[in-house]
Amino acid sequence: MAKTKTVFVCQNCGTESPKWVGKCYACGEWNTLVEEIAITGKAARGSALSTKFSPAKPVAIKEVSADKMPRIDTTVGELNRVLGGGMVPGSIMLLGGEPGIGKSTLVLQMALQMTQSTILYISGEESPQQIKLRADRINKELGDNCLVVSETSLERTLVHVKNVKPSLLVIDSIQTLEREGVESAPGSVTQIRECTAAILRVAKEKNLPVLLIGHINKEGSLAGPKVLEHMVDVVLQFEGDRQYMYRILRAIKNRFGSTSEIGIFEMLGTGLREVDNPSEMLLAHQNEEMSGIAIASTIEGIRPFLIEVQALASTAAYGTPQRSSTGFDTRRLNMLLAVLEKRAGFKLAAKDVFLNIAGGLRVSDPAIDLAVVSAILSSNTDIAIPTSIALTGEVGLSGEIRPVTRIEQRITEAEKLGFKTIIVPKYNKGLDLKKYNIEIFQASKIEEAFRRLFA
Ligand code: TYD
Ligand code: MG
């Protein structure tokens, strides 16, 4: 039989404390802590989430005090941004990504920079020597705030937490952890679920933020049970093309902020560099005029940036022309080619078309359509688009340029980067043209845009 454990629960706000104190540290009420029997064993697993958060009695929502949640600065600006302003104490975050994309690097870099906090870095994948080698690459002066240990046992991990009392716990990776008494192999559904549940309980109890690193499977989703994603508060995905050095950090789930923010990094020999101004890195040939290149003003998450679209249209060498795109949906490319054939006399059947979004990014914003068709036409006619022109607009089936979201932000970004002209959809109403220091050309059809580009 399991040993009964007791905790002290605040009768005012429901906060649990392992020992009795006169004043509840969460709500500030005096003499409200009462000893109760803690739920342990099997039952605790199911109720680990609910015990902490269920208040003593239900209250009207307008009476709930919504003080701003305290945030822990991760010292990595892009990470703070994706988390919605920093880590929330007691939250569990899961960072997923392909092997070798830089998850361990990102987390270690953060740990080394957070010199004010004690960080416990539990690695089941690498020895402390290997971690040291990586740390040396990233940072020349190492402080004593980051403690590393190579460990795969859940029980021993929890002992380390108890001894070290870290202000942040990092587990690299959740798939290597193993709970005693659970028969299945590390990385299996049962192991992952059991280990996460145990860590979750400790995190909520001690108000300790935990960052779990997770593997992803062949399909690109996080390995392990879906319940893992449900259990944690934040799910982050680190992605990028291994051939390119740019990395994008996205929030897939965030209980404390929006999921529309992205963070951009560049992998250098000395670790990850934060990219504050994505437009600058994505514009490859700003000064050279070349055919087949168009600049789109796009929005990823809520951040606008300019991106270079490159196209190559050449006479097909074989009977069936090839269509290929990197970073852009091929079906959408085919649709745009059909529109071009109908509207601009582009001889579709005789041409190979290759499309590339510079920097290895994947763009899903439909507003880059106009830049895609312009780049293809530019390559086909071998006439360069002036480098001072940016484009934004979704292209419809009849060749109309459809309105886009957040047009002001797109225009401002182009203006900020020194573009002289931006072509925008005519149907984006309510634009104050005088407000901007950039020529705004409004087009309702792709023919109009082409006339302006290739005049
Ligand atoms: P890593 O963080 O080990 O990836 P993950 O934990 O996601 O599997 O990073 C792996 C790659 O990053 C590795 O191939 C080498 C590269 N790298 C750099 O280019 N520069 C660096 O400073 C570091 C530490 C790694
Ligand atoms: Mg790793």
Side-chain angles (χ1 to χ4, degrees):
M1 230 196 74
K3 212 175 104 208
T4 34
K5 217 183 109 197
T6 60
V7 284
F8 293 85
V9 182
C10 171
Q11 300 297 299
N12 184 51
C13 68
T15 304
E16 286 181 19
S17 164
K19 62 179 198 305
W20 190 86
V21 283
K23 183 183 174 187
C24 172
Y25 55 83
C27 66
E29 284 293 311
W30 286 91
N31 210 12
T32 53
L33 268 78
V34 171
E35 190 169 13
E36 287 183 6
I37 292 171
I39 308 162
T40 51
K42 271 216 176 81
R45 247 168 266 150
S47 58
L49 270 175
S50 52
T51 47
K52 169 83 183 174
F53 290 117
S54 60
K57 58 177 195 293
V59 290
I61 191 150
K62 65 170 191 193
E63 277 152 33
V64 179
S65 75
D67 292 337
K68 259 192 96 192
M69 237 174 276
R71 297 277 185 171
I72 302 163
D73 180 14
T74 65
T75 68
V76 180
E78 298 290 294
L79 181 59
N80 281 346
R81 182 207 296 276
V82 176
L83 289 171
M87 287 182 188
V88 172
S91 66
I92 294 214
M93 292 150 283
L94 177 64
L95 173 66
E98 281 183 33
I101 205 79
K103 302 180 291 297
S104 307
T105 308
L106 174 67
V107 173
L108 186 66
Q109 194 163 337
M110 176 194 73
L112 295 175
Q113 281 179 28
M114 289 175 77
T115 44
Q116 303 303 317
S117 336
T118 311
I119 288 143
L120 178 59
Y121 190 112
I122 309 258
S123 179
E125 307 205 327
E126 289 153 317
S127 65
Q129 287 77 15
Q130 283 172 302
I131 301 173
K132 174 76 181 1
L133 283 178
R134 180 181 292 126
D136 282 338
R137 287 177 73 173
I138 298 172
N139 200 336
K140 295 284 165 276
E141 302 156 46
L142 300 175
D144 47 15
N145 67 307
C146 179
L147 305 173
V148 293
V149 58
S150 190
E151 187 61 79
T152 55
S153 146
L154 173 75
E155 285 72 18
R156 282 198 294 273
T157 295
L158 297 182
V159 171
H160 290 310
V161 172
K162 207 166 145 202
N163 296 340
V164 174
K165 297 191 183 57
S167 39
L168 170 66
L169 172 66
V170 172
I171 294 183
D172 187 1
S173 64
I174 185 69
Q175 275 85 3
T176 55
L177 270 195
E178 191 172 9
R179 184 177 178 159
E180 261 169 44
V182 175
E183 295 290 306
S184 44
S188 66
V189 173
T190 322
Q191 281 288 6
I192 291 178
R193 198 180 52 217
E194 291 298 308
C195 293
T196 313
I199 293 166
L200 189 109
R201 237 169 303 146
V202 173
K204 300 295 170 192
E205 226 166 73
K206 297 194 194 307
N207 217 14
L208 167 72
V210 181
L211 187 59
L212 305 174
I213 293 181
H215 294 170
I216 61 170
N217 58 21
K218 271 211 305 286
E219 289 78 43
S221 59
L222 278 150
K226 203 72 192 163
V227 64
L228 178 62
E229 281 173 60
H230 288 298
M231 276 162 126
V232 300
D233 299 307
V234 178
V235 180
L236 303 174
Q237 180 117 328
F238 206 32
E239 53 189 47
D241 211 311
R242 217 134 21 120
Q243 270 62 345
Y244 295 94
M245 289 300 123
Y246 302 120
R247 302 281 183 269
I248 295 188
L249 184 70
R250 281 177 210 281
I252 300 173
K253 161 180 174 178
N254 191 351
R255 286 193 180 142
F256 316 108
S258 95
T259 51
S260 56
E261 281 284 7
I262 60 166
I264 303 180
F265 297 88
E266 185 181 5
M267 180 64 95
L268 302 174
T270 51
L272 290 157
R273 181 180 75 89
E274 295 178 49
V275 179
D276 315 313
N277 188 350
S279 302
E280 272 170 20
M281 87 182 190
L282 294 167
L283 297 179
H285 307 278
Q286 255 187 66
N287 305 317
E288 254 175 281
E289 247 176 46
M290 285 194 283
S291 68
I293 290 180
I295 308 293
S297 184
T298 174
I299 288 188
E300 260 300 315
I302 61 167
R303 223 166 5 152
F305 54 85
L306 295 174
I307 198 166
E308 189 179 299
V309 179
Q310 305 171 335
L312 178 68
S314 64
T315 311
Y318 304 101
T320 322
Q322 294 184 62
R323 301 284 130 83
S324 150
S325 68
T326 317
F328 190 75
D329 184 19
T330 314
R331 267 174 307 174
R332 186 141 192 105
L333 172 65
N334 280 327
M335 183 214 103
L336 292 175
L337 288 174
V339 173
L340 270 179
E341 168 155 290
K342 196 90 180 162
R343 296 279 144 188
F346 183 81
K347 288 288 167 287
L348 190 69
K351 298 281 180 179
D352 286 341
V353 177
F354 305 97
L355 190 78
N356 183 22
I357 306 289
L361 282 186
R362 269 211 80 79
V363 181
S364 49
D365 181 11
I368 76 160
D369 286 356
L370 187 58
V372 170
V373 292
S374 304
I376 295 170
L377 202 68
S378 161
S379 171
N380 193 42
T381 55
D382 208 16
I383 304 173
I385 296 173
T387 50
S388 59
I389 301 185
L391 304 120
T392 190
E394 182 181 341
V395 174
L397 282 182
S398 56
E400 82 276 20
I401 301 177
R402 309 186 57 195
V404 296
T405 54
R406 287 185 253 191
I407 185 81
E408 286 93 355
Q409 266 177 287
R410 298 175 195 264
I411 296 173
T412 314
E413 183 69 13
E415 184 187 341
K416 209 167 76 193
L417 283 152
F419 282 82
K420 301 226 162 52
T421 307
I422 181 165
I423 302 186
V424 303
K426 197 172 202 160
Y427 299 114
N428 265 102
K429 295 274 187 266
L431 267 186
D432 180 10
L433 301 186
K434 283 185 219 75
K435 212 171 81 184
Y436 305 98
N437 233 335
I438 178 172
E439 184 208 344
I440 297 172
F441 183 87
Q442 293 173 300
S444 59
K445 292 205 178 70
I446 53 172
E447 294 96 309
E448 283 173 45
F450 292 158
R451 270 200 296 276
R452 175 69 184 80
L453 286 174
F454 305 109

